[in-house]
Amino acid sequence: MIVQRLGGCKWQYRDTREKEWHDAEVPGTLFMDMIKEGRIKKPFYRFQDREFQELAKNDYEYELCFKVQEDVLFREKQILVFEGIDTIADIYLNGVKVARTQNMHRTYRFPVKGILKEGENLLHITLYSPVRYIEEQHRKHPLPEFNTASPHGFSQIRKTHSSFGWDAEPNVPDLGIWRDVYIEAYDKAGIGHIYTRQRHEEGRVFLKTEVLSDAVCDEADVRIILYSPQGLELSRKQIRFRESLAETWMEIENPEIWWPNGYGEQPLYEICIRMQCRDEWEEKHFFVGLRTIEVRREEDSFGETFAFYVNGIPVFAKGASYTPPDKFLTACRGQRHRELIRLCKEANYNCIRIWGGAVYPDDELYDLCDRNGILIWQDLMFACALYPSDDAFLADIREEVKDNVIRLRNHACLALWCGNNENEWFHDYEHQAEGLTQELRMKNLQQYEVHLAEVVRKYDPDRLFWPSSPSSGGGYDDPNGYAKGDVHCWYVWYLPAKPYTFYRDCTGRFISEFGLESFQNFKTLRSYLEPEDMSPNSEVMDHMQHCSDNYCNMGNGKIMNYIFQEVQAPRTFQEYIFASQYAQAEGIKYGTCHFRSMKPRCMGALYWQIVDCFPGTSWSGIDYEYRLKVLHYYARRFFRQVILCVKEDRFESRRMEIFVVNDSPRGFTAKLAWALKDSAGNTVKSWEKIIQAEGSSSAVFQEIDWSKEIEEEERKKYYLELFLYSRDGEILCEDTYLFVKPKHFQFLHPQFMVDVQEEKEKYVLNIQTSCFVKCIKMDMENNDCEFSDNCFDLSPGRTKRVEVEKRSLRRQISMEELKKQLFFENVNDIGKNIM
């Protein structure tokens, strides 16, 4: 097969009302081109993002003049391929209309034999305004809508829904040729798609490879070569096609098994497929991980389980929801994705949920998850809406799902397919919404439970298709119920902003969405705000807060609510930022620890969300500039394989249970130690005991009642410090517990003693404090780095060792400069006038 790539060539674009052409990058986006050219300046500075909505009201043209490779013109098949075009477009080749596209999630393949010619060829594309398109569609046939953060009609175009804005994103309806475009040419040798299936037995794996051909050639054969994770050839098969299908089994003895992060390694076997017919050939390479994945749904005393089992081992899913890390999709690729998955792995994630309001990500994200052991819950791209139900729309989305299932199904990380985000739930509890008839509700179910389920099961029969998230299994059967299926726990924050202790009342089987908002990091906001904007209730900060719809009223007001539930009123903007991040982290920690303590009743906790796509306020643990919030540092601890959980009595904070949660399939013996201390860090009483934790378990190892020893008015003077030690004295995990909210605790002002040492590849900080300190957050004034640990509690008499890898510094500095740059924030000092 001959492939002539058209990406990276001299493309041009212009507004259809203009005469002047401008340089364009393909693959790319219109707004990225405008930013590079300087036509759009500081896209997220203050109110600047408003211009995107105006620019998207216009139509644009893209053009490319190119010469066809000579050997292309002699081939029987000549195909023009668009792997992604966003979105409503007319495509002309040498003046001949090739097609109209209307789905950015599809891969389009257009025959162009007889249209291509020798010499110069002209590819001309007109991209029509997505803003005008959805307005027109909404006028023609309005549908009931449930996401009031987006404009009317957003569900009537197969485009990234959140590009029109969401409660965590601004309205930036970009357009362009966002994935590769190229010409394929061949006579007979054309590989259509490949599917691998596995059968596991004791000590061996049987790997089946199916190859479907785009062309029929009686003389064609296929060679399939299997390589070990170390690159050694293990097997070679030569097979023939039978009615366009070639398939074979390979046996792998003593297989190296793929595991999720925290459970083992991620070895990948390489498969090379070479198809040949006479003098023509095509070759494809891809990787597979040998593992079994299933979602077990079995009756129990609470209803029905919903749990991932990998290689027969129960896996508590720990992670968050993925949304693209930039509003401009081509800017997400490469380094941003590599850094994102690295950060997820280091925070002990083993799962992410690809949210249905965005896009099916590029292959590179799944490759990274394969190599790092991150399971993927994959939504189809439908969210918070009703959709057209005509035959043309259904045919289009069936092709969309087929394209993406075939593209992604061989990845080891892919755990399940899910029909949509929140559509079953919304159409159930809002079933009396204006215009939402019973007929529309039934058509909504049919779209996922019949039409799209059929496509997924046909092309990937070995994975679960789950109809919606949340769901109890479909059919409007208590979609967000606690007895079975998955749950979106939004009663904290949204419905109606209950304290985060309400997570205790959520007893769902798998919590696939829950969250709390916080502000971006101060240094990030400095790049997009002016000094007069530096207030949590400034006009610009309100503009950057997009959660102001439905039950939320004003998102920033809710952040204030959670701040004031936790700490003293901050004095400065920077304190408000830190306080918001602390409240967010404490809330998500509380929920996660509760969900994990319920195992095996609950077997998943995926918070909303990993990262931001713009420098505004949201639920993320990593901000737009990839600065880590308090939440992400907390996640490194509360997602460890072994954690301590203190669960207080609902009515008496002095009574509690101490849980040890162990996600490892292996049990262990450890020493549990706890001490009652005063605010200065002096030990009042201490205890310890040897415990035996079972594999994959959660159990109470100590019940404590302090109500007789600590008077009601003295609760604010004491805290509890807990440790779990291994047999050889290593700290497995630790935690602290306050009997009152931090705003009422009698904190002392801390003094920090920091000894900084330089080693070859890193700096080492040894930190001590004069009293007990809650949530010590370290940062540098004019630089950035990643700390091996941060946002931790510390008692006097202990030394906290923190490492800073030199490669993590955004700007290399000396040890002396590091000492000068380093500063501390902490909960003790919030709201206090410290001189």
Side-chain angles (χ1 to χ4, degrees), residues 128-153:
Y128 297 100
S129 165
V131 174
R132 295 204 321 273
Y133 180 86
I134 65 172
E135 289 173 351
E136 292 165 3
Q137 295 303 308
H138 182 70
R139 282 197 301 270
K140 290 177 182 177
H141 34 73
L143 290 171
E145 295 171 339
F146 307 100
N147 171 30
T148 57
S150 301
H152 293 310

Side-chain angles (χ1 to χ4, degrees), residues 434-485:
E434 182 179 355
L436 182 57
T437 64
Q438 181 66 7
E439 180 183 9
L440 286 175
R441 293 179 74 239
M442 291 303 104
K443 285 182 176 180
N444 168 67
L445 285 190
Q446 290 170 5
Q447 177 174 323
Y448 310 106
E449 298 183 21
V450 179
H451 299 291
L452 300 186
E454 179 183 81
V455 175
V456 173
R457 289 168 182 150
K458 178 178 179 180
Y459 292 101
D460 193 11
D462 296 336
R463 285 186 181 86
L464 173 69
F465 175 80
W466 189 241
S468 185
S469 182
S471 179
S472 292
Y476 295 124
D477 176 21
D478 194 15
N480 206 35
Y482 293 166
K484 54 185 178 178

Side-chain angles (χ1 to χ4, degrees), residues 351-626:
C351 184
I352 62 175
R353 173 172 167 252
I354 307 291
W355 172 62
V359 293
Y360 305 92
D362 295 337
D363 295 73
E364 71 170 10
L365 183 75
Y366 299 85
D367 291 338
L368 289 164
C369 289
D370 283 345
R371 295 186 180 281
N372 289 281
I374 309 295
L375 297 171
I376 288 182
W377 171 307
Q378 178 67 61
D379 283 1
L380 305 182
M381 292 302 116
F382 305 89
C384 303
L386 277 169
Y387 293 83
S389 55
D390 57 276
D391 291 343
F393 184 84
L394 288 173
D396 187 39
I397 61 175
R398 285 175 68 94
E399 288 300 312
E400 167 195 320
V401 173
K402 174 185 173 183
D403 286 349
N404 287 285
V405 170
I406 288 172
R407 178 171 69 92
L408 301 174
R409 63 188 177 181
N410 291 319
H411 285 281
C413 62
L414 189 59
L416 67 77
W417 297 96
C418 177
N420 62 76
N421 173 76
E422 297 185 340
N423 288 351
E424 184 188 353
W425 183 30
F426 274 23
H427 304 153
D428 180 55
Y429 80 78
E430 296 195 21
H431 65 272
Q432 294 182 335
E434 182 179 355
L436 182 57
T437 64
Q438 181 66 7
E439 180 183 9
L440 286 175
R441 293 179 74 239
M442 291 303 104
K443 285 182 176 180
N444 168 67
L445 285 190
Q446 290 170 5
Q447 177 174 323
Y448 310 106
E449 298 183 21
V450 179
H451 299 291
L452 300 186
E454 179 183 81
V455 175
V456 173
R457 289 168 182 150
K458 178 178 179 180
Y459 292 101
D460 193 11
D462 296 336
R463 285 186 181 86
L464 173 69
F465 175 80
W466 189 241
S468 185
S469 182
S471 179
S472 292
Y476 295 124
D477 176 21
D478 194 15
N480 206 35
Y482 293 166
K484 54 185 178 178
D486 70 311
V487 167
H488 289 192
C489 190
W490 283 113
Y491 304 101
V492 176
W493 182 266
Y494 260 119
L495 304 171
K498 295 183 178 181
Y500 65 66
T501 51
F502 178 79
Y503 285 132
R504 284 274 298 274
D505 291 338
C506 180
T507 56
R509 312 312 302 265
F510 190 110
I511 316 303
S512 52
E513 203 173 289
F514 67 109
L516 286 166
E517 275 198 344
S518 69
F519 297 130
Q520 300 266 325
N521 284 298
F522 182 68
K523 285 187 289 188
T524 296
L525 288 172
R526 278 192 317 199
S527 300
Y528 301 93
L529 305 182
E530 291 297 327
E532 61 267 27
D533 304 323
M534 300 288 191
S535 167
N537 63 350
S538 70
E539 185 180 4
V540 175
M541 287 298 289
D542 281 350
H543 174 71
M544 287 185 160
Q545 167 62 267
H546 293 276
C547 185
S548 57
D549 65 301
N550 296 337
Y551 302 93
C552 191
N553 300 318
M554 280 304 297
N556 288 349
K558 291 212 171 187
I559 291 176
M560 296 300 110
N561 175 23
Y562 287 106
I563 287 174
F564 294 146
Q565 287 182 36
E566 288 297 301
V567 298
Q568 295 286 326
R571 296 173 302 108
T572 66
F573 183 50
Q574 192 162 355
E575 272 195 2
Y576 269 107
I577 290 171
F578 172 59
S580 77
Q581 292 188 14
Y582 170 76
Q584 175 195 37
E586 284 289 320
I588 301 304
K589 173 191 171 185
Y590 189 94
T592 301
C593 289
H594 164 63
F595 302 141
R596 292 188 65 184
S597 73
M598 286 198 300
K599 69 179 298 185
R601 181 174 183 173
C602 178
M603 285 299 290
L606 307 178
Y607 63 80
W608 179 270
Q609 64 198 94
I610 306 172
V611 66
D612 287 315
C613 62
F614 83 116
T617 306
S618 83
W619 291 264
S620 74
I622 304 171
D623 80 11
Y624 180 61
E625 299 287 353
Y626 275 42

Side-chain angles (χ1 to χ4, degrees), residues 110-369:
F110 305 119
V112 290
K113 185 176 177 64
I115 304 175
L116 286 174
K117 63 182 182 181
E118 292 185 38
E120 292 289 333
N121 288 259
L122 178 64
L123 183 57
H124 181 97
I125 299 165
T126 302
L127 288 163
Y128 297 100
S129 165
V131 174
R132 295 204 321 273
Y133 180 86
I134 65 172
E135 289 173 351
E136 292 165 3
Q137 295 303 308
H138 182 70
R139 282 197 301 270
K140 290 177 182 177
H141 34 73
L143 290 171
E145 295 171 339
F146 307 100
N147 171 30
T148 57
S150 301
H152 293 310
F154 76 90
S155 68
Q156 302 197 47
I157 184 173
R158 293 309 297 147
K159 175 178 174 61
T160 303
H161 288 345
S162 56
S163 69
F164 295 105
W166 213 262
D167 58 5
E169 301 186 23
N171 187 343
V172 184
D174 207 351
L175 53 164
I177 306 167
W178 73 289
R179 281 184 172 152
D180 285 339
V181 53
Y182 49 90
I183 295 168
E184 289 182 348
Y186 57 93
D187 290 323
K188 298 294 184 181
I191 297 174
H193 50 83
I194 302 161
Y195 187 32
T196 60
R197 306 179 75 175
Q198 303 175 24
R199 188 174 80 245
H200 289 241
E201 296 181 1
E202 185 68 31
R204 58 183 178 171
V205 171
F206 294 92
L207 188 65
K208 183 182 183 183
T209 303
E210 302 173 1
V211 183
L212 189 70
S213 175
D214 278 342
V216 178
C217 177
D218 295 336
E219 302 173 24
D221 63 43
V222 176
R223 294 179 186 176
I224 302 177
I225 308 170
L226 176 68
Y227 297 94
S228 73
Q230 295 76 32
L232 301 176
E233 183 176 320
L234 297 180
S235 180
R236 180 184 292 254
K237 293 285 186 76
Q238 186 165 336
I239 54 177
R240 290 275 182 162
F241 281 99
R242 179 178 296 177
E243 296 182 354
S244 300
L245 178 66
E247 57 185 3
T248 189
W249 285 92
M250 294 181 179
E251 181 179 349
I252 303 171
E253 294 184 351
N254 301 314
E256 297 181 54
I257 300 299
W258 185 97
W259 291 95
N261 184 32
Y263 290 81
E265 300 301 316
Q266 294 81 42
L268 296 174
Y269 289 75
E270 183 179 7
I271 298 178
C272 172
I273 311 287
R274 183 184 175 100
M275 175 182 174
Q276 187 158 5
C277 183
R278 303 188 185 98
D279 62 342
E280 268 195 296
W281 61 275
E282 182 183 3
E283 189 170 284
K284 291 189 176 181
H285 296 252
F286 62 99
F287 292 88
V288 297
L290 304 182
R291 85 290 176 268
T292 62
I293 292 183
E294 58 180 322
V295 180
R296 292 192 186 175
R297 300 167 60 204
E298 301 168 339
E299 288 188 12
D300 65 8
S301 59
F302 303 109
E304 182 181 273
T305 65
F306 191 95
F308 292 152
Y309 276 70
V310 181
N311 304 318
I313 300 297
V315 173
F316 190 101
K318 298 175 292 193
S321 290
Y322 167 92
T323 55
D326 207 297
K327 288 300 291 185
F328 314 113
L329 293 176
T330 55
C332 299
R333 295 173 180 148
Q335 185 70 6
R336 277 182 87 76
H337 269 157
R338 288 193 297 273
E339 285 297 292
L340 186 66
I341 298 305
R342 177 186 66 80
L343 289 168
C344 289
K345 182 176 184 178
E346 290 176 358
N348 300 304
Y349 283 36
N350 60 32
C351 184
I352 62 175
R353 173 172 167 252
I354 307 291
W355 172 62
V359 293
Y360 305 92
D362 295 337
D363 295 73
E364 71 170 10
L365 183 75
Y366 299 85
D367 291 338
L368 289 164
C369 289

